[in-house]
Amino acid sequence: MAEVSRRQVIKFTSAGALAMLRGGLLGQGSSQNNQSVAVWGIFETTWKGPIEGNPFRDVQFSATFTLEDRHIDIAGFYDGEGQYKVRFMPDVEGNWKFTTHSNKRELDGLTGYFTSVAAKTIGHGPVRVARTFHFAHADGTPYYPFGTTCYAWIHQSEALQRETLETLSTAPFNKIRMCVFPKSYEYNHNEPALYPFERTPNGKSDFSRPNPAFYAHLEERILDLQQFGIQADLILFHPYDRWGYATMPTEDDDQYLRYIVARLSSFSNIWWSMANEYDLMRAKTSADFDRLFGILVAGDAYGHLRSIHYSKSMYDYTHLWITHASLQTPNFGAAEEYRKVWNKPVVFDEVGYEGNLNRRWGCLSSAEMTQRVWTGILSGSYVTHGECYLTNPADYREDSAPVLWWSHGGKLHGDTARKIGFLRQITEDTGKSNPHRIGWDPTTDPYYSNASLFDPEGRHVQTLLYYFDLHQPAWYEFPLPEGEFSAEYLNPEEGTVTSIEGIFSGKSHIILTGKPYQAVRFRRLS
Amino acid sequence: MAEVSRRQVIKFTSAGALAMLRGGLLGQGSSQNNQSVAVWGIFETTWKGPIEGNPFRDVQFSATFTLEDRHIDIAGFYDGEGQYKVRFMPDVEGNWKFTTHSNKRELDGLTGYFTSVAAKTIGHGPVRVARTFHFAHADGTPYYPFGTTCYAWIHQSEALQRETLETLSTAPFNKIRMCVFPKSYEYNHNEPALYPFERTPNGKSDFSRPNPAFYAHLEERILDLQQFGIQADLILFHPYDRWGYATMPTEDDDQYLRYIVARLSSFSNIWWSMANEYDLMRAKTSADFDRLFGILVAGDAYGHLRSIHYSKSMYDYTHLWITHASLQTPNFGAAEEYRKVWNKPVVFDEVGYEGNLNRRWGCLSSAEMTQRVWTGILSGSYVTHGECYLTNPADYREDSAPVLWWSHGGKLHGDTARKIGFLRQITEDTGKSNPHRIGWDPTTDPYYSNASLFDPEGRHVQTLLYYFDLHQPAWYEFPLPEGEFSAEYLNPEEGTVTSIEGIFSGKSHIILTGKPYQAVRFRRLS
């Protein structure tokens, strides 16, 4: 590369025109300075650089993005075939400049500029913690996580991935827990089409050389999710492994993490889940994960949400680098204490799965799964869905390759998703009618723990939601706060809302159905 | 009383002829020396004594019963109208003698004799702890507590008491939790027909003077229960009070306890529950209950079962005077730990009630209540039933006087009792076919905690019971112990048993229904 190339801007990609990333329009050599990029979209600049040695490891490449008095350092990455890239997600409108830095002369001191513009199509920006226990997009729009889990969906056939996306396009989920690495676990033994690292023909991985094609595919899937407003809760490490990804040397772990952060932190819909069941990764200690979080915090200029999921032994969620707890337990009775102890949002990311597997974690009835989601939400936390139905259980054998939503994606066979849609609708409607009040907080009705409200300091309750779970009172005397309220029966199983005649105030005696799983909503009239 | 009366035996009552106690045939003056009394029946001797002052407090009266080289001291009691009584429950056949002791000359040194004889009609004797975590009658017959709760049934109208007994005569319960004192609590505000202490016309109690008519009625009810093989788990103190019984001076507490122990410990079907929700009795400390247990242990020569029930703060069940834990919680997940910690039977005496009340504790669906009973039993503990259905909830007002099984007795309106009958039948059948092996003990299937077996040391499992609660696996690979087993589906909701074709051995893959609340029983063939 000669001096001339230092000023040669090879390409800018605006994620405002996602097709450029998705459709493979990453043409080389066209100077596109002063592109327009949507706020919360991705600006990408690509430069030619060295190909000798191991560019992934040997070449340092980054850029400083500048807007007025702000200077933001962003790591670049090697994308193979001599291409070096930096991606940047602007958070405000403006005229940005950038200058590159590198230990290779031809990649150092390159400059360019672009304009970030408002764009409705690109969403509301990354999700942040809001009001201590809740979430909102960067532009302030409340975000209520109603997640699901398809651990290895990007490692299935193209047809199955398409089917998963089709399902997600109408399902009620706005977050998905998914692994970067392929998964080797019961019911899921297939080889992936793409591996995250270069492999020799005999299947040996070179952990020092990421596979750019693998990442291009992953990125395409993340942008697919973005189109549906779905957060990719990306699981960076996991123990379900037969390829060696769970037991890489420290140096390779660190390089992998720096690489994925450089590639993906400019995607607005990324959440970082450092690991699934971190404590089952016998080759690593908690201190290893502490170190990895350090790399993550240093590398992600946007402060995407960060957590880690455990099997039996909880990670220390008090750590400053943890933005929210990611729990494996259905112990919603502890949710309030968790909130107090950590002073962060509490997400019950694994509470069992609706399904019919021969595993205790994978055979909940829909009624029970729905109850768990409601109970969790009303405890002031959030709950992630999961489903694993064997469609032909009598035919199942060890060597069957069933398609289970939990691992593979595909179709939903259960009934819980529909019911979660109802709860999400109720929650978002409540959010819309309660500006600046984000999320359900538990209240302290002496008899029903499952009551929750929208009200930052408990002083002026706008909406009050009761859920009676497996209890079936025939009537209840609701202790309403000051003021006047309307009341409605909600049927979480059927997804129906029925007005209750009257205006309610103070202790309100209301006849109920006397059946399990009923709910009542009160909304302030005055 | 003259010297002559010292040898005048007024009456012996054999509980082998219960009618004598029940029918009011306690005639005076007939000498019935050398009566025959059934083993585990009640021998009663009555003597005339002083009536001046306060005989309840001033007169000490007891007897020593002697059979060969055994000498058993038994406290007597004043029964009003100048009558002093001692009751004795013989535990073996033989020719017993007795001699009385008193601080009143005319009641001291009286003697008599009687013969205790085998009698099938009288049952199997008091219930004892057996095999650490279980129970058996004194004659070795296994006893599996399937209890219910009717706190204040003896304080209702005669008609209602008769209805309760009618219900109990066919219900599947063999234990009933019931209060000595009347109850003042929501849904139960009636005055009792009889008070435990003498009262002035203006309603002031004299705690130093028990009311013998009250006790005669209580005893009649206990004998009614005995006819149906039902243990009276008698609650001696409770906080639901407006008469002052919960806040008596220490001296009166102690006298009351000595009195009731003297009257009732000869009834074979008594369990002592020192208190319900002892920790809600603000006028007493744990140390007060320790002291009361001391009185109980000293006064009850037969060692009836002893426990105490709490609201929030557990009593220390490690105390030597506690024979079994009596818990208020549905936390069956802790049952195994409780067993280990206390090394005693664990009875979950209050786990919520089937019903439709406006109280969280009183509105469980039948499916949930049944699940709690099954889960508890299979955790190696025992679970007590309760039910409270308002039959006309829409008509309920504060001043209604509904009849709720939980408090008043009457009829059962729910569906759980029937299903408990099924589990009791299965348990007792298993007990019958496994001599010397009493009770379900938890096993350690890695995925299903709800598996239990009959097998003292886990070495030679005879029967293995799986319960899948709200989980709905479509198949399961049962890890059977060595040997060959038959298998059956059990339907805890319908109470049906269906054979599964085949002989099972080792890992056994069995197709299940894929619906919640299924169970499978394996029985050893070889």
Side-chain angles (χ1 to χ4, degrees):
Chain A
M1 293 271 164
E3 185 66 15
V4 65
S5 75
R6 292 187 65 183
R7 282 176 302 273
Q8 183 194 4
V9 176
I10 296 182
K11 192 196 62 62
F12 296 132
T13 302
S14 156
L18 293 177
M20 293 187 66
L21 264 176
R22 308 188 71 219
L25 302 179
L26 307 186
Q28 297 280 337
S30 60
S31 174
Q32 301 181 37
N33 230 333
N34 204 20
Q35 273 282 141
S36 274
V37 176
V39 169
W40 307 126
I42 302 170
F43 167 82
E44 181 180 281
T45 173
T46 305
W47 305 82
K48 282 283 181 196
I51 57 169
E52 60 276 10
N54 183 345
F56 295 103
R57 186 151 287 186
D58 303 338
V59 180
Q60 295 159 19
F61 181 59
S62 67
T64 302
F65 289 81
T66 302
L67 176 71
E68 293 158 13
D69 59 349
R70 292 173 68 198
H71 302 277
I72 304 167
D73 293 324
I74 300 288
F77 61 92
Y78 182 61
D79 200 27
E81 298 173 9
Q83 295 190 98
Y84 291 82
K85 297 184 173 174
V86 181
R87 291 174 178 163
F88 180 70
M89 173 174 61
D91 58 352
V92 290
E93 296 171 56
N95 297 310
W96 296 82
K97 291 184 290 186
F98 67 86
T99 308
T100 67
H101 316 285
S102 179
N103 59 345
K104 300 294 174 185
R105 204 161 157 241
E106 65 267 41
L107 289 171
D108 190 50
L110 304 165
T111 62
Y113 54 94
F114 67 93
T115 302
S116 55
V117 297
K120 294 278 182 205
T121 53
I122 211 71
H124 299 281
V127 175
R128 316 283 192 213
V129 171
R131 219 168 61 63
T132 310
F133 304 116
H134 302 286
F135 299 97
H137 288 280
D139 74 354
T141 307
Y143 169 83
Y144 306 99
F146 285 89
T148 189
T149 307
C150 303
Y151 285 125
W153 77 281
I154 67 162
H155 301 292
Q156 310 306 316
S157 71
E158 274 294 318
L160 187 49
Q161 291 180 60
R162 272 195 298 277
E163 189 175 72
T164 305
L165 287 168
E166 237 167 77
T167 303
L168 288 171
S169 71
T170 58
F173 306 119
N174 59 8
K175 175 169 97 75
I176 186 167
R177 285 183 62 74
M178 54 186 275
C179 299
V180 175
F181 294 140
K183 180 181 167 188
S184 180
Y185 195 70
E186 51 180 5
Y187 301 108
N188 190 98
H189 302 291
N190 61 307
E191 284 292 312
L194 292 163
Y195 295 91
F197 299 100
E198 278 187 23
R199 279 159 71 97
T200 59
N202 65 9
K204 201 170 141 46
S205 295
D206 180 351
F207 299 132
S208 75
R209 301 188 71 97
N211 175 6
F214 171 91
Y215 282 96
H217 171 249
L218 170 60
E219 289 156 7
E220 192 178 354
R221 292 291 93 109
I222 292 170
L223 293 172
D224 288 332
L225 296 173
Q226 197 180 66
Q227 287 194 300
F228 305 135
I230 297 173
Q231 303 293 310
D233 194 358
L234 206 61
I235 296 164
L236 300 171
F237 292 94
H238 68 245
Y240 331 113
D241 180 68
R242 64 172 183 268
W243 302 275
Y245 309 136
T247 53
M248 297 192 294
T250 298
E251 191 189 4
D252 295 328
D253 280 346
D254 294 359
Q255 190 195 342
Y256 154 68
L257 189 56
R258 284 195 192 94
Y259 188 77
I260 197 167
V261 169
R263 288 197 74 118
L264 294 183
S265 55
S266 56
F267 288 67
S268 68
N269 61 324
I270 285 286
W271 295 27
W272 305 117
S273 181
M274 183 59 83
N276 218 62
E277 299 192 316
Y278 86 93
D279 49 330
L280 299 187
M281 300 189 73
R282 305 298 180 203
K284 289 185 175 51
T285 64
S286 278
D288 286 320
F289 289 103
D290 296 351
R291 187 193 74 250
L292 291 166
F293 273 113
I295 292 171
L296 190 54
V297 169
D300 171 8
Y302 313 99
H304 288 288
L305 293 167
R306 292 176 299 268
S307 195
I308 184 168
H309 165 277
Y310 63 91
S311 171
K312 295 268 181 288
S313 173
M314 265 189 195
Y315 186 78
D316 182 354
Y317 293 112
T318 59
H319 280 312
L320 287 175
W321 50 79
I322 295 292
T323 55
H324 63 286
S326 170
L327 307 183
Q328 175 168 201
T329 173
N331 183 13
F332 306 112
E336 253 191 278
E337 292 309 311
Y338 291 148
R339 285 173 37 130
K340 283 180 200 160
V341 168
W342 297 318
N343 213 37
K344 296 174 185 180
V346 174
V347 184
F348 288 86
D349 266 322
E350 201 173 5
V351 300
Y353 299 87
E354 182 188 358
N356 64 354
L357 295 193
N358 70 327
R359 293 291 180 245
R360 193 165 175 82
W361 50 259
C363 59
L364 293 176
S365 67
S366 172
E368 172 64 18
M369 188 72 197
T370 306
Q371 179 186 316
R372 291 187 185 194
V373 176
W374 271 78
T375 306
I377 296 293
L378 268 73
S379 73
S381 59
Y382 295 95
V383 182
T384 301
H385 163 270
E387 184 192 294
C388 35
Y389 273 106
L390 285 173
T391 48
N392 292 302
D395 298 337
Y396 178 76
R397 296 292 173 271
E398 283 288 324
D399 57 354
S400 304
V403 175
L404 304 172
W405 178 258
W406 148 74
S407 189
H408 313 88
K411 284 189 171 66
L412 288 162
H413 302 282
D415 200 26
T416 306
R418 172 184 65 77
K419 293 182 268 181
I420 287 175
F422 177 62
L423 180 55
R424 181 178 168 187
Q425 192 63 52
I426 284 166
T427 301
E428 292 184 346
D429 287 352
T430 308
K432 276 179 201 142
S433 61
N434 292 269
H436 314 304
R437 292 183 166 142
I438 297 172
W440 300 109
D441 290 312
T443 181
T444 48
D445 182 293
Y447 292 104
Y448 284 95
S449 52
N450 295 334
S452 206
L453 47 87
F454 262 61
D455 175 33
E457 271 92 35
R459 284 197 294 261
H460 198 68
V461 175
Q462 293 300 309
T463 303
L464 186 57
L465 184 59
Y466 277 78
Y467 174 60
F468 293 86
D469 58 49
L470 48 84
H471 295 79
Q472 51 178 17
W475 61 274
Y476 187 59
E477 195 171 86
F478 295 89
L480 297 183
E482 244 183 282
E484 294 185 323
F485 291 83
S486 68
E488 294 146 306
Y489 295 111
L490 307 183
N491 185 327
E493 288 287 304
E494 302 298 329
T496 54
V497 178
T498 313
S499 278
I500 302 174
E501 213 178 320
I503 291 172
F504 299 92
S505 168
K507 280 197 176 183
S508 298
H509 183 111
I510 295 180
I511 301 293
L512 303 172
T513 64
K515 300 213 170 88
Y517 308 125
Q518 50 186 342
V520 176
R521 174 170 63 180
F522 293 96
R523 290 193 282 189
R524 183 176 290 281
L525 297 170
S526 68
Chain B
M1 293 268 164
E3 186 67 16
V4 63
S5 74
R6 292 187 65 183
R7 282 175 301 273
Q8 182 194 6
V9 177
I10 296 184
K11 191 196 61 65
F12 296 132
T13 302
S14 155
L18 292 177
M20 292 188 66
L21 263 175
R22 309 188 70 217
L25 302 180
L26 307 187
Q28 297 279 339
S30 61
S31 174
Q32 302 181 38
N33 230 331
N34 205 21
Q35 271 283 139
S36 273
V37 176
V39 170
W40 308 125
I42 302 170
F43 168 83
E44 181 180 282
T45 172
T46 305
W47 305 81
K48 283 281 182 197
I51 56 169
E52 60 276 11
N54 183 344
F56 295 104
R57 186 151 288 185
D58 304 339
V59 179
Q60 294 159 18
F61 182 59
S62 67
T64 302
F65 289 82
T66 302
L67 176 71
E68 294 158 13
D69 57 350
R70 292 173 68 197
H71 303 276
I72 304 166
D73 293 325
I74 301 289
F77 60 93
Y78 182 60
D79 200 27
E81 297 174 9
Q83 295 190 98
Y84 291 82
K85 296 183 175 175
V86 181
R87 291 173 178 162
F88 179 70
M89 172 173 61
D91 58 353
V92 290
E93 295 171 56
N95 297 309
W96 295 84
K97 292 183 289 187
F98 66 86
T99 308
T100 66
H101 316 285
S102 179
N103 60 344
K104 301 293 173 187
R105 200 159 164 245
E106 64 266 44
L107 289 170
D108 189 49
L110 303 166
T111 61
Y113 54 94
F114 67 93
T115 302
S116 55
V117 296
K120 294 279 181 201
T121 53
I122 212 70
H124 300 280
V127 175
R128 316 282 192 212
V129 171
R131 221 168 62 61
T132 309
F133 304 116
H134 303 285
F135 299 97
H137 288 280
D139 74 355
T141 307
Y143 170 83
Y144 306 100
F146 286 88
T148 189
T149 306
C150 303
Y151 285 127
W153 77 282
I154 65 163
H155 301 292
Q156 310 306 318
S157 71
E158 273 295 316
L160 187 49
Q161 291 180 60
R162 271 196 297 277
E163 190 174 69
T164 306
L165 286 168
E166 235 166 78
T167 303
L168 289 171
S169 72
T170 57
F173 306 120
N174 59 9
K175 175 169 97 75
I176 187 167
R177 286 183 62 73
M178 54 186 275
C179 299
V180 174
F181 294 140
K183 182 182 168 188
S184 180
Y185 195 71
E186 51 182 4
Y187 302 108
N188 191 99
H189 302 290
N190 62 306
E191 284 291 313
L194 292 162
Y195 294 92
F197 299 99
E198 278 187 23
R199 278 161 70 97
T200 60
N202 65 8
K204 202 171 141 43
S205 295
D206 180 351
F207 299 133
S208 75
R209 301 187 72 97
N211 175 5
F214 171 91
Y215 282 96
H217 171 249
L218 170 61
E219 288 155 6
E220 189 177 357
R221 292 291 94 107
I222 293 170
L223 292 173
D224 287 333
L225 297 172
Q226 196 180 69
Q227 286 194 301
F228 305 136
I230 297 173
Q231 303 293 310
D233 194 359
L234 205 61
I235 297 164
L236 300 171
F237 292 93
H238 67 247
Y240 330 113
D241 180 67
R242 65 171 181 269
W243 302 274
Y245 309 137
T247 52
M248 297 191 295
T250 298
E251 191 191 4
D252 293 329
D253 280 345
D254 294 0
Q255 189 196 344
Y256 154 67
L257 189 57
R258 284 195 193 93
Y259 188 77
I260 197 168
V261 169
R263 288 196 75 116
L264 293 184
S265 55
S266 56
F267 287 67
S268 67
N269 62 324
I270 284 286
W271 295 28
W272 305 116
S273 181
M274 183 60 81
N276 219 62
E277 299 192 316
Y278 86 94
D279 50 329
L280 300 187
M281 300 189 73
R282 306 299 180 200
K284 289 186 174 50
T285 65
S286 279
D288 286 321
F289 289 103
D290 296 351
R291 186 194 76 249
L292 291 165
F293 272 113
I295 292 170
L296 190 54
V297 169
D300 171 9
Y302 313 99
H304 288 287
L305 293 167
R306 292 177 298 267
S307 195
I308 183 168
H309 166 276
Y310 63 91
S311 171
K312 295 269 182 287
S313 174
M314 263 189 198
Y315 187 77
D316 182 353
Y317 293 112
T318 59
H319 281 313
L320 288 175
W321 50 79
I322 296 292
T323 54
H324 63 286
S326 170
L327 307 183
Q328 174 166 201
T329 173
N331 183 14
F332 306 112
E336 251 191 280
E337 292 310 312
Y338 291 148
R339 285 173 38 129
K340 283 180 199 160
V341 168
W342 296 320
N343 213 38
K344 296 173 184 179
V346 173
V347 184
F348 289 86
D349 266 322
E350 201 173 5
V351 301
Y353 298 87
E354 182 188 357
N356 63 355
L357 295 193
N358 70 328
R359 293 294 181 242
R360 193 165 176 82
W361 51 257
C363 59
L364 293 176
S365 66
S366 173
E368 172 62 19
M369 188 72 197
T370 306
Q371 178 185 316
R372 292 189 183 191
V373 176
W374 270 78
T375 306
I377 295 293
L378 268 72
S379 74
S381 59
Y382 296 94
V383 182
T384 300
H385 164 270
E387 185 191 292
C388 34
Y389 273 106
L390 285 172
T391 48
N392 293 303
D395 298 336
Y396 178 76
R397 297 290 172 271
E398 283 288 324
D399 57 355
S400 304
V403 175
L404 303 172
W405 178 258
W406 148 74
S407 189
H408 313 87
K411 283 191 172 63
L412 288 162
H413 301 282
D415 200 26
T416 305
R418 172 185 63 79
K419 294 183 269 182
I420 287 175
F422 178 61
L423 181 55
R424 179 178 170 187
Q425 191 62 51
I426 285 167
T427 301
E428 292 184 346
D429 286 354
T430 309
K432 276 179 202 142
S433 61
N434 291 270
H436 314 303
R437 292 180 167 144
I438 297 172
W440 299 107
D441 290 312
T443 181
T444 49
D445 183 291
Y447 293 103
Y448 284 95
S449 52
N450 297 334
S452 206
L453 47 86
F454 261 62
D455 175 33
E457 271 91 34
R459 284 198 294 259
H460 198 68
V461 175
Q462 293 299 309
T463 303
L464 186 58
L465 185 59
Y466 278 76
Y467 174 60
F468 293 86
D469 57 50
L470 49 84
H471 295 81
Q472 51 179 16
W475 61 273
Y476 188 59
E477 196 170 88
F478 295 89
L480 298 183
E482 244 182 281
E484 294 184 322
F485 291 84
S486 67
E488 293 147 306
Y489 295 111
L490 307 184
N491 185 328
E493 287 289 303
E494 302 299 327
T496 55
V497 179
T498 313
S499 277
I500 302 175
E501 213 177 319
I503 292 171
F504 299 92
S505 167
K507 281 196 176 181
S508 299
H509 183 112
I510 295 179
I511 302 293
L512 302 172
T513 64
K515 299 210 170 91
Y517 309 125
Q518 50 188 338
V520 176
R521 173 170 63 180
F522 294 95
R523 291 193 281 191
R524 183 176 291 281
L525 297 170
S526 69

